[in-house]
Amino acid sequence: MKKILIIDDEEKLRSLMARIIGLEGFEVIQAGDCKSGLKKLDQNSFDVVLCDVKLPDGNGVDLTISIKEKYPQIEIILLTAYGNIPDGVQAIKNGAFDYIVKGDDNNKIIPLLHRAIEKSGLTQRIAQLESKLETKYSFDGIVGTSKNLLQAIDLAKKVSVTDTTVLLTGETGTGKEVFAAAIHQSSLRKDQSFVAINCSAFSHDLLESEMFGHIAGSFTGASKDKKGLFEEANNGTIFLDEVGEMALDLQAKLLRVIENGEYIKVGESKPTKVNVRIIAATNRDLAKEIEIGHFRQDLFYRLSVFQIQLPSLRDRTIDIEPLANYFLNFFALKTNKKIKNLSGEFVQLLKLHTWPGNIRELKNVLERSVILETENVLTTSCLPLEIQNLKASKTNGETPVLSAFSLASAEKIHIQKVLNYTNHNKTETAKLLNIALTTLYRKLEEYKIS
């Protein structure tokens, strides 16, 4: 039931209005002055306030400011015995929904109330959606409690309040765009645009046009001027995913944007100025790309002012179950299924898989499982065959007991030492051990090294 507050010092008129409005199915609460009205607002959740302009301890036009500052979702209709244009104009400027004259406009009150309630409801829904979006794209929306993930989040929070360029590194599917969006949402630019582009999704010419825009006639098919994504992101943040795939000449243009805040559109001669924060991401080893001449060293130094390495899912197995539950709830709601839990064996097999596709792969596996499941618990029969076929001996959670004198024991200890030396960088560890990365992952799984 919608709730209305009437603030008026004329008790008889107030009571009459309360009865009329109550007959329309609204819950009505009354107050005789500004002080008691503000107290009622603190104690209840209202949709609309009907307020007299002249009150014993204040003015309804001024009171509107106080109410809207504290309760922006509430709509206010001001009532006056003697209407005048300046008061009406000021009332609307202060945020009032409408300003009407008592007696003359009595027949307007009920229709006006319905319109005010409709607007109040819309405002509340928008506020709820904004709150959900803020949570979704904030650091609070990142699922996981593993040490290496929390370290990455801590670094991202610290840099988010600055305008520093950030480089996010890590394997494909580790959530780099989620981190970039969270950094933007926690920055001073959060009320401006967040624009994302995958540099590997376009050909050279299309990528240049997408990033920097073009003018009509600059190439075949360019029939009109086009804004680039840098221009769209002006005063906000641009996220350049897979920046390591960018051609060298485009890297030079990107370097100019970082250094001077300007670029030249395709087919134009004069520069365009922009003020954007750049967050870049790559799954490539840019140091190696520089060595073989595929990436500019000066651009790398500009992009990697603040670098954050995102951990692979293999390196944060403690987060697999909560992530799986998160995706289960999401896809169960999406498909209208009443699946609430994961079976123990289902979770064990998830933890045994090496997840080359990381979180993105886990998400796809959970979506597939929810679609296939016919019971209210996800079971292993819904998993892809390569996960179902993991050795049964590995699903009991027991770590093999190794003799202190066995070669396997020495190998396990050595791998652990090298991992510690490289701060658990798997690629670097495999390089130092002179083995393939896939071999390292197999041995980590075999020896239960996390």
Side-chain angles (χ1 to χ4, degrees):
M1 184 183 292
K2 301 300 181 182
K3 196 175 285 188
I4 314 296
L5 173 64
I6 300 176
I7 307 175
D8 198 315
D9 60 327
E10 296 182 45
E11 188 176 353
K12 288 184 179 179
L13 178 61
R14 190 176 73 228
S15 299
L16 176 62
M17 287 177 60
R19 284 200 298 274
I20 294 169
I21 294 169
L23 290 171
E24 292 291 317
F26 300 122
E27 181 182 346
V28 184
I29 292 177
Q30 304 176 42
D33 53 35
C34 295
K35 185 178 179 180
S36 59
L38 289 170
K39 188 176 181 180
K40 299 286 186 186
L41 283 163
D42 287 336
Q43 295 170 342
N44 299 271
S45 178
F46 291 98
D47 298 281
V48 177
V49 172
L50 278 171
C51 183
D52 191 12
V53 169
K54 295 197 180 295
L55 293 163
D57 57 348
N59 183 290
V61 177
D62 297 330
L63 182 63
T64 299
I65 298 175
S66 301
I67 295 173
K68 292 298 283 187
E69 281 180 352
K70 197 169 183 181
Y71 310 101
Q73 77 280 6
I74 294 177
E75 295 302 327
I76 303 162
I77 299 171
L78 291 175
L79 309 171
T80 181
Y82 308 100
N84 64 77
I85 293 173
D87 270 0
V89 171
Q90 191 59 49
I92 301 302
K93 281 185 176 179
N94 290 357
F97 182 77
D98 212 334
Y99 176 92
I100 62 175
V101 178
K102 293 179 183 178
D104 295 345
D105 295 332
N106 282 350
N107 58 332
K108 294 181 180 179
I109 290 177
I110 298 303
L112 199 57
L113 264 178
H114 282 285
R115 291 203 301 275
I117 283 170
E118 186 178 346
K119 185 181 176 186
S120 174
L122 180 61
T123 304
Q124 289 176 42
R125 287 196 294 275
I126 290 171
Q128 288 169 359
L129 285 171
E130 285 178 345
S131 177
K132 285 182 180 178
L133 282 172
E134 282 186 10
T135 301
K136 181 179 179 181
Y137 295 112
S138 72
F139 291 109
D140 292 336
I142 298 174
V143 179
T145 57
S146 59
K147 184 180 178 181
N148 43 14
L149 177 68
L150 294 179
Q151 286 173 341
I153 291 173
D154 183 56
L155 288 172
K157 284 181 177 179
K158 287 175 179 174
V159 77
S160 64
V161 295
T162 72
D163 252 356
T164 302
T165 301
V166 179
L167 178 64
L168 302 172
T169 59
E171 296 176 11
T172 298
T174 49
K176 293 187 282 291
E177 186 167 347
V178 173
F179 261 77
I183 291 170
H184 169 75
Q185 191 61 41
S186 298
S187 74
L188 297 176
R189 297 174 181 260
K190 68 177 182 179
D191 295 325
Q192 304 298 325
S193 298
F194 173 78
V195 177
I197 181 170
N198 188 322
C199 299
S200 66
F202 298 91
S203 65
H204 173 279
D205 292 337
L206 276 177
L207 180 59
E208 183 176 13
S209 175
E210 285 294 317
M211 287 175 63
F212 304 115
H214 63 253
I215 61 171
S218 56
F219 56 85
T220 305
S223 57
K224 58 183 181 180
D225 292 356
K226 173 185 168 64
K227 272 186 177 184
L229 293 180
F230 268 95
E231 194 170 354
E232 296 284 357
N234 193 28
N235 297 316
T237 303
I238 191 164
F239 173 56
L240 304 175
D241 198 9
E242 303 301 350
V243 72
E245 308 292 332
M246 192 180 291
L248 285 168
D249 59 330
L250 291 185
Q251 291 177 31
K253 293 191 77 168
L254 175 58
L255 182 63
R256 183 177 179 181
V257 178
I258 296 172
E259 291 181 335
N260 305 322
E262 63 180 33
Y263 60 90
I264 297 175
K265 292 182 179 181
V266 178
E268 197 167 51
S269 57
K270 63 179 183 180
T272 299
K273 296 286 288 185
V274 285
N275 174 11
V276 290
R277 192 222 189 128
I278 296 173
I279 301 176
T282 183
N283 62 359
R284 287 179 175 266
D285 184 339
L286 292 186
K288 281 188 177 179
E289 295 298 306
I290 292 167
E291 283 179 20
I292 60 178
H294 290 172
F295 204 82
R296 293 178 64 111
Q297 189 173 45
D298 48 2
L299 177 59
F300 172 71
Y301 289 140
R302 288 289 189 176
L303 289 176
S304 61
V305 174
F306 199 96
Q307 189 170 336
I308 303 173
Q309 172 79 23
L310 300 192
S312 66
L313 195 54
R314 291 180 299 277
D315 293 333
R316 43 183 290 219
T317 53
I318 190 176
D319 295 333
I320 289 176
E321 187 171 357
L323 277 166
N325 275 303
Y326 173 83
F327 291 131
L328 165 61
N329 293 331
F330 177 82
F331 289 117
L333 184 65
K334 187 178 179 181
T335 57
N336 198 28
K337 287 195 169 186
K338 296 179 179 179
I339 307 171
K340 299 188 182 298
N341 298 302
L342 313 164
S343 72
E345 191 178 359
F346 186 96
V347 174
Q348 285 181 336
L349 286 178
L350 291 184
K351 289 182 177 180
L352 284 174
H353 188 49
T354 55
W355 300 109
N358 292 292
I359 300 171
R360 190 178 296 136
E361 183 186 359
L362 177 64
K363 180 181 178 181
N364 293 341
V365 166
L366 264 293
E367 182 175 13
R368 175 187 189 276
S369 299
V370 168
I371 291 169
L372 293 176
E373 187 58 73
T374 55
E375 303 297 328
N376 59 2
V377 176
L378 281 187
T379 58
T380 56
S381 61
C382 299
L383 287 168
L385 285 176
E386 66 269 21
I387 299 179
Q388 287 189 48
N389 291 337
L390 291 171
K391 291 182 180 179
S393 61
K394 293 183 179 181
T395 64
N396 57 17
E398 294 178 4
T399 305
V401 178
L402 299 175
S403 164
F405 300 102
S406 71
L407 184 61
S409 179
E411 184 177 55
K412 178 181 178 179
I413 292 168
H414 184 59
I415 290 173
Q416 188 68 66
K417 283 181 178 179
V418 179
L419 273 171
N420 292 339
Y421 175 75
T422 63
N423 198 23
H424 282 255
N425 183 317
K426 303 295 192 302
T427 304
E428 188 65 25
T429 299
K431 190 187 299 181
L432 291 173
L433 290 170
N434 199 26
I435 60 175
L437 187 59
T438 52
T439 303
L440 174 62
Y441 282 127
R442 180 173 55 78
K443 290 186 178 293
L444 294 178
E445 184 180 329
E446 180 182 350
Y447 296 137
K448 301 291 182 184
I449 299 174
S450 58

